[in-house]
mmCIF file of all heavy atoms in Angstrom:
data_model
loop_
_atom_site.group_PDB
_atom_site.id
_atom_site.type_symbol
_atom_site.label_atom_id
_atom_site.label_comp_id
_atom_site.label_asym_id
_atom_site.label_seq_id
_atom_site.Cartn_x
_atom_site.Cartn_y
_atom_site.Cartn_z
ATOM 1 N N VAL S 204 -9.725 5.372 4.656
ATOM 2 C CA VAL S 204 -8.311 5.346 4.272
ATOM 3 C C VAL S 204 -7.990 4.102 3.455
ATOM 4 O O VAL S 204 -7.329 4.176 2.407
ATOM 5 C CB VAL S 204 -7.413 5.413 5.526
ATOM 6 C CG1 VAL S 204 -5.963 5.147 5.162
ATOM 7 C CG2 VAL S 204 -7.534 6.779 6.189
ATOM 8 N N LEU S 205 -8.458 2.930 3.917
ATOM 9 C CA LEU S 205 -8.185 1.689 3.191
ATOM 10 C C LEU S 205 -8.812 1.708 1.801
ATOM 11 O O LEU S 205 -8.188 1.295 0.812
ATOM 12 C CB LEU S 205 -8.704 0.499 3.998
ATOM 13 C CG LEU S 205 -7.990 0.213 5.325
ATOM 14 C CD1 LEU S 205 -8.707 -0.900 6.078
ATOM 15 C CD2 LEU S 205 -6.542 -0.158 5.089
ATOM 16 N N THR S 206 -10.049 2.202 1.703
ATOM 17 C CA THR S 206 -10.717 2.277 0.409
ATOM 18 C C THR S 206 -10.039 3.297 -0.492
ATOM 19 O O THR S 206 -9.898 3.086 -1.700
ATOM 20 C CB THR S 206 -12.199 2.648 0.589
ATOM 21 O OG1 THR S 206 -12.804 1.739 1.508
ATOM 22 C CG2 THR S 206 -12.941 2.586 -0.733
ATOM 23 N N PHE S 207 -9.612 4.413 0.084
ATOM 24 C CA PHE S 207 -8.914 5.438 -0.684
ATOM 25 C C PHE S 207 -7.635 4.876 -1.302
ATOM 26 O O PHE S 207 -7.365 5.071 -2.494
ATOM 27 C CB PHE S 207 -8.584 6.622 0.224
ATOM 28 C CG PHE S 207 -8.001 7.810 -0.493
ATOM 29 C CD1 PHE S 207 -8.811 8.851 -0.892
ATOM 30 C CD2 PHE S 207 -6.643 7.883 -0.762
ATOM 31 C CE1 PHE S 207 -8.280 9.947 -1.557
ATOM 32 C CE2 PHE S 207 -6.093 8.969 -1.425
ATOM 33 C CZ PHE S 207 -6.922 10.010 -1.823
ATOM 34 N N ILE S 208 -6.850 4.169 -0.499
ATOM 35 C CA ILE S 208 -5.596 3.610 -1.013
ATOM 36 C C ILE S 208 -5.866 2.566 -2.089
ATOM 37 O O ILE S 208 -5.207 2.536 -3.137
ATOM 38 C CB ILE S 208 -4.778 3.001 0.148
ATOM 39 C CG1 ILE S 208 -4.347 4.098 1.122
ATOM 40 C CG2 ILE S 208 -3.568 2.241 -0.376
ATOM 41 C CD1 ILE S 208 -3.659 3.575 2.358
ATOM 42 N N THR S 209 -6.847 1.686 -1.846
ATOM 43 C CA THR S 209 -7.173 0.648 -2.817
ATOM 44 C C THR S 209 -7.639 1.246 -4.141
ATOM 45 O O THR S 209 -7.191 0.830 -5.223
ATOM 46 C CB THR S 209 -8.262 -0.279 -2.256
ATOM 47 O OG1 THR S 209 -7.797 -0.872 -1.041
ATOM 48 C CG2 THR S 209 -8.608 -1.382 -3.251
ATOM 49 N N THR S 210 -8.525 2.238 -4.072
ATOM 50 C CA THR S 210 -9.061 2.843 -5.288
ATOM 51 C C THR S 210 -8.014 3.685 -5.992
ATOM 52 O O THR S 210 -7.908 3.677 -7.223
ATOM 53 C CB THR S 210 -10.286 3.713 -4.954
ATOM 54 O OG1 THR S 210 -11.222 2.941 -4.199
ATOM 55 C CG2 THR S 210 -10.960 4.214 -6.209
ATOM 56 N N TRP S 211 -7.230 4.416 -5.224
ATOM 57 C CA TRP S 211 -6.204 5.274 -5.810
ATOM 58 C C TRP S 211 -5.170 4.456 -6.580
ATOM 59 O O TRP S 211 -4.694 4.870 -7.640
ATOM 60 C CB TRP S 211 -5.520 6.079 -4.710
ATOM 61 C CG TRP S 211 -4.615 7.168 -5.207
ATOM 62 C CD1 TRP S 211 -3.303 7.055 -5.565
ATOM 63 C CD2 TRP S 211 -4.959 8.543 -5.404
ATOM 64 N NE1 TRP S 211 -2.806 8.264 -5.959
ATOM 65 C CE2 TRP S 211 -3.796 9.204 -5.871
ATOM 66 C CE3 TRP S 211 -6.123 9.282 -5.208
ATOM 67 C CZ2 TRP S 211 -3.772 10.557 -6.160
ATOM 68 C CZ3 TRP S 211 -6.101 10.633 -5.496
ATOM 69 C CH2 TRP S 211 -4.941 11.265 -5.963
ATOM 70 N N ASN S 212 -4.844 3.284 -6.069
ATOM 71 C CA ASN S 212 -3.830 2.440 -6.705
ATOM 72 C C ASN S 212 -4.412 1.427 -7.680
ATOM 73 O O ASN S 212 -3.662 0.633 -8.255
ATOM 74 C CB ASN S 212 -3.035 1.693 -5.630
ATOM 75 C CG ASN S 212 -2.231 2.626 -4.759
ATOM 76 O OD1 ASN S 212 -1.750 3.660 -5.211
ATOM 77 N ND2 ASN S 212 -2.078 2.279 -3.495
ATOM 78 N N ALA S 213 -5.734 1.413 -7.855
ATOM 79 C CA ALA S 213 -6.357 0.447 -8.764
ATOM 80 C C ALA S 213 -5.807 0.627 -10.182
ATOM 81 O O ALA S 213 -5.674 1.751 -10.671
ATOM 82 C CB ALA S 213 -7.875 0.618 -8.750
ATOM 83 N N PHE S 214 -5.524 -0.491 -10.834
ATOM 84 C CA PHE S 214 -4.942 -0.422 -12.173
ATOM 85 C C PHE S 214 -5.770 -1.169 -13.212
ATOM 86 O O PHE S 214 -6.066 -0.638 -14.290
ATOM 87 C CB PHE S 214 -3.522 -0.998 -12.149
ATOM 88 C CG PHE S 214 -2.879 -1.055 -13.508
ATOM 89 C CD1 PHE S 214 -2.341 0.080 -14.083
ATOM 90 C CD2 PHE S 214 -2.811 -2.253 -14.208
ATOM 91 C CE1 PHE S 214 -1.749 0.039 -15.335
ATOM 92 C CE2 PHE S 214 -2.228 -2.312 -15.459
ATOM 93 C CZ PHE S 214 -1.695 -1.168 -16.028
ATOM 94 N N PHE S 215 -6.165 -2.392 -12.900
ATOM 95 C CA PHE S 215 -6.770 -3.259 -13.913
ATOM 96 C C PHE S 215 -8.103 -2.706 -14.414
ATOM 97 O O PHE S 215 -8.312 -2.541 -15.624
ATOM 98 C CB PHE S 215 -6.943 -4.664 -13.347
ATOM 99 C CG PHE S 215 -7.057 -5.715 -14.416
ATOM 100 C CD1 PHE S 215 -6.607 -5.484 -15.706
ATOM 101 C CD2 PHE S 215 -7.611 -6.955 -14.142
ATOM 102 C CE1 PHE S 215 -6.706 -6.439 -16.696
ATOM 103 C CE2 PHE S 215 -7.723 -7.932 -15.123
ATOM 104 C CZ PHE S 215 -7.262 -7.665 -16.403
#
Side-chain angles (χ1 to χ4, degrees):
V204 170
L205 293 174
T206 306
F207 187 96
I208 295 174
T209 301
T210 307
W211 190 274
N212 295 327
F214 176 79
F215 202 20

